[in-house]
Amino acid sequence: MTEYGRGPGSEPWHPEDPLYGDQGWGGQQAAHGQSQYGGQQQPYPQDPYAQQQPQQPYPQQQQYGTPQDPYAQQQQQQPQQPQYNGGWDTGQQAGMPYGGQPQDPYQQQPGGYGEQHDYYGTPEAYPPPQPPGRREAVPEQQAPDWNPDVPQEETHPFFTGSDEPVGRDARDDEYDDEYDDDSRASRRGGRGGGERRGKGKKKSRSGCACLIVSVVLVGGLGGAAYLGYSYYQEQFGAAPDYAGDGSGQVEVEIPKGALGNEIANILKKKGVVKSVGAFTSAQNSNPRGKFIQAGVYLLKEEMSADNALKMMLDPKSQNPLVIPEGTKNVTVYAMIDKRLGLKKGSTAEIAETNAESLGLPDWAEDNPEVKDPLEGFLYPAAYPVSKGSKPEDTLKRMVSRANEEYGKAEVEEKATKLGLKNPWQLITVASLVQVEGKYKHDFDKVARVVYNRLKPGNTETVGRLEFDSTVNYIKGQSTLDLGPVDGLRRIDDPYNTYKIQGLPAGPISNPGADALHSAMNPAAGPWYYFVSVTEDKTVFATTNEEHERNRRKYEDEKAGQ
């Protein structure tokens, strides 16, 4: 019977017999340039180093059939190769010369520096390769039986409630404790230390921590859902709103330039409407909703948005402090006291004390003869003055409005063109026109009378205005029966135009826009006098004789009625 790997008539193969031909496990393959069957080494013609290298003797072969374990050989001494000295210094490392024989990979090779190592003789090395006959089949891992009907045991600490996973090796705990006890320096190692920094396993979180995280996540999702729902309701849902006309009374101030959202926020804070969206929706649905004026409104609490809008569009609901044109400051102060519920004279005292800090323009004269520096600067208009506010706030608002209107009218440039010293005198002229002119359609002619009497060559009044309104301002009254002129000229006061020449020391009222316009654009005419004969008619005269005739005619007509 012919055995595998043996010729006919040979003995049966034994496991200890050498394999793979006559050389067996300990044999070597033919070296570079050497015959496979033991002939002499033949150098290649192209190999220049083959002439320089001495021929290596062929190592003695193992006899065929000699039982020898190829793994029992530890080292086989190789003949020392001559070092190549071709011009480079290769050091002490022995390289395989060209033309030499390759070494058997299963035998131990000499070390690079003359040392010889056994790569399979250390504990860390892999086991040497086994011949085919000695190789053992790797046992297959058997998959554990799994029964879908049997519930699996939970091992994660989140479900078991323990701090450690089921099946955790005690050595892991040992390692964790050892790692935790190490100091930071020992874990990091010294600068020159060669210790390897290990990585410890993080301890598992406790079930309580996981529960807290879960609660936080659930709370976050709930909060996000609520915000999303609120946003949807605000954007697409109907805004919350009260029903009905409301009850009680609340004072609401709407500032100048306020828009829909700002107005809605003010109403919501005051408790008038339930939501901003309800009011803005009502405002957008009403064609007049955009015409809400600045001011103070008397509204009710908890009104529907539609009713609140309708009430604000009704002028009767507004409750502003209205300053009529030509009103004197003493009257304005009394009106503020009454609106704010203050003691009589409180606002006048504040005005006198804080006049310089209320916003007067730079061109306002600081003349000690001026009775009230704020006269002419409490601009006549409607102002929101709500209860609880301060008097100085209202005064500042009025002065600010005057500065705004005077700036638009360009009073500084106009005063120069009219031959006046400064805008202060222009405001004074406007205040005289406002009080002396009974009707607005007469304001232009009244202004001309003022400027004609101020002329230096005036022979009719000799530069004096002689207006009854200035005497009334001095006495704090309003009457036409002032007495004889001689008595009036004896009143010694810088505001008495019967005595002084030129303009009074300051304005005698707060002029409106019409009086200011007439003061800047007087009518053309030679008039020096005027008298109102009827409620809607004023007669103007050039001379004093003409003026006296017109005055007597007026008195006779009035007496005959």
Side-chain angles (χ1 to χ4, degrees), residues 445 449 453 458-462 466 526-531 538-548 550:
K445 292 181 179 180
V449 171
R453 290 186 180 185
N458 171 23
T459 59
E460 291 294 329
T461 63
V462 195
E466 296 183 352
W527 311 294
Y528 286 91
Y529 306 94
F530 63 91
V531 59
T538 301
V539 179
F540 292 86
T542 303
T543 63
N544 189 35
E545 291 79 4
E546 183 182 2
H547 171 64
E548 287 297 328
N550 294 333

Side-chain angles (χ1 to χ4, degrees), residues 155-167:
T155 60
H156 195 278
F158 178 80
F159 300 100
T160 61
S162 62
D163 291 340
E164 300 294 342
V166 176

Side-chain angles (χ1 to χ4, degrees), residues 359-376:
L360 290 173
D362 296 336
W363 45 262
E365 288 190 2
D366 186 14
N367 188 346
E369 293 182 348
V370 174
K371 296 184 181 299
D372 188 347
L374 294 181
E375 195 76 71

